[in-house]
Amino acid sequence: MIIPVLKKFLPQTLVKISSPINGEISVVEQFGRRKILIANLTQSGPMVEKIWEPIIKKIAKDENKIAEVLILGLGGGSLVKLANNYFKKIKITGLEIDPIIIDLGKKYFYLDSFSNLKIKNESADLFLNKNKLKFDLIFVDLYLGDKVPKNCESEIFLENLKKSLTNNGMIVFNRLYYKNHIFEAKKFLDKLHKIFHYLSCRKYLTNFFILVKKD
């Protein structure tokens, strides 16, 4: 009888699937809470929410005119959940390049339950190249495994991000911050200084958040 009881407390893999974009993807449940794992990194779920929540809470306290939100790297929708918790009457556009992730998000994380969310299956750089909309808040959480796509670090990409902001809009970049990722994050920060008005940085565990504004 011990084994069945213990099983309730162990992580249970609900699904494991191979994606041509992200490789092996797993949805794991423990204590009734779910997360997405890609390359052994948590992409959505309670830990992601815990890391992001202080940032979003601070923005909500300081900024009271957030109406249009863009999420680049939708994943399972952790940022959708948090944004709706802290901002009222917002509209969210969520981009996700991997259609398998979108399907998992709808099936296991109930993305379809957010009536104010518009999901686009598109790469961030192509979307920004043609985008004419303006956003008050943009979250940039673009990873394939533990790598940021190079086209999402280019000067053109960053300039298009800037054009997509309202006059007082804000962007939050999430970067990994351990081992070789520390050097990459610092190099990326130097690039941002040339294009945006730098606000602040915040490190939490192995993540590094950079907040910038248009001017």
Side-chain angles (χ1 to χ4, degrees):
M1 296 299 293
I2 295 177
I3 294 177
V5 172
L6 287 176
K7 255 183 109 175
K8 294 181 180 180
F9 301 99
L10 296 175
Q12 303 293 313
T13 299
L14 302 181
V15 65
K16 185 178 288 187
I17 189 168
S18 181
S19 161
I21 295 174
N22 275 296
E24 188 174 275
I25 305 170
S26 299
V27 177
V28 177
E29 183 175 80
Q30 188 175 21
F31 302 117
R33 305 195 72 180
R34 296 171 178 175
K35 61 184 178 181
I36 293 178
L37 292 176
I38 301 174
N40 292 319
L41 291 173
T42 301
Q43 304 285 348
S44 296
M47 180 54 72
V48 173
E49 293 170 22
K50 183 178 180 180
I51 289 171
W52 272 98
E53 188 165 24
I55 300 293
I56 295 175
K57 186 176 182 179
K58 177 172 172 43
I59 294 171
K61 181 181 178 181
D62 297 342
E63 305 288 334
N64 56 10
K65 294 183 179 179
I66 304 295
E68 296 285 346
V69 178
L70 174 64
I71 301 172
L72 301 181
L74 178 64
S78 293
L79 285 173
V80 176
K81 179 180 175 182
L82 287 171
N84 276 305
N85 285 345
Y86 284 95
F87 305 112
K88 305 303 179 186
K89 297 181 180 179
I90 58 171
K91 294 180 182 178
I92 304 173
T93 301
L95 260 71
E96 175 56 55
I97 193 173
D98 193 336
I100 291 177
I101 292 286
I102 293 175
D103 290 341
L104 294 175
K106 290 179 178 179
K107 183 174 182 180
Y108 294 99
F109 298 88
Y110 314 113
L111 286 181
D112 284 337
S113 68
F114 296 100
S115 60
N116 63 339
L117 171 64
K118 181 184 293 184
I119 300 174
K120 292 182 176 290
N121 178 205
E122 194 171 354
S123 67
D125 59 328
L126 293 181
F127 171 82
L128 290 175
N129 277 342
K130 61 186 180 183
N131 176 53
K132 303 297 182 185
L133 302 173
K134 299 290 184 181
F135 297 93
D136 305 299
L137 180 59
I138 301 177
F139 297 114
V140 183
D141 196 11
L142 294 168
Y143 275 93
L144 295 176
D146 66 343
K147 304 294 183 186
V148 177
K150 292 300 179 185
N151 56 337
C152 295
E153 294 183 311
S154 70
E155 188 173 330
I156 292 174
F157 178 82
L158 296 176
E159 289 289 355
N160 283 335
L161 264 178
K162 189 174 183 178
K163 291 175 186 175
S164 298
L165 280 177
T166 55
N167 288 336
N168 294 310
M170 177 187 298
I171 304 174
V172 185
F173 295 90
N174 177 30
R175 303 287 303 206
L176 292 176
Y177 204 73
Y178 64 92
K179 296 182 178 179
N180 61 305
H181 295 293
I182 295 176
F183 170 75
E184 293 171 0
K186 288 180 177 178
K187 189 167 69 170
F188 182 66
L189 181 57
D190 289 339
K191 186 182 292 186
L192 291 180
H193 274 297
K194 300 174 183 176
I195 298 174
F196 296 98
H197 172 64
Y198 167 76
L199 291 178
S200 64
C201 293
R202 180 189 178 104
K203 182 180 179 296
Y204 189 92
L205 298 178
T206 57
N207 290 73
F208 186 63
F209 295 97
I210 308 167
L211 283 70
V212 300
K213 279 198 168 186
K214 195 169 190 175
D215 299 309

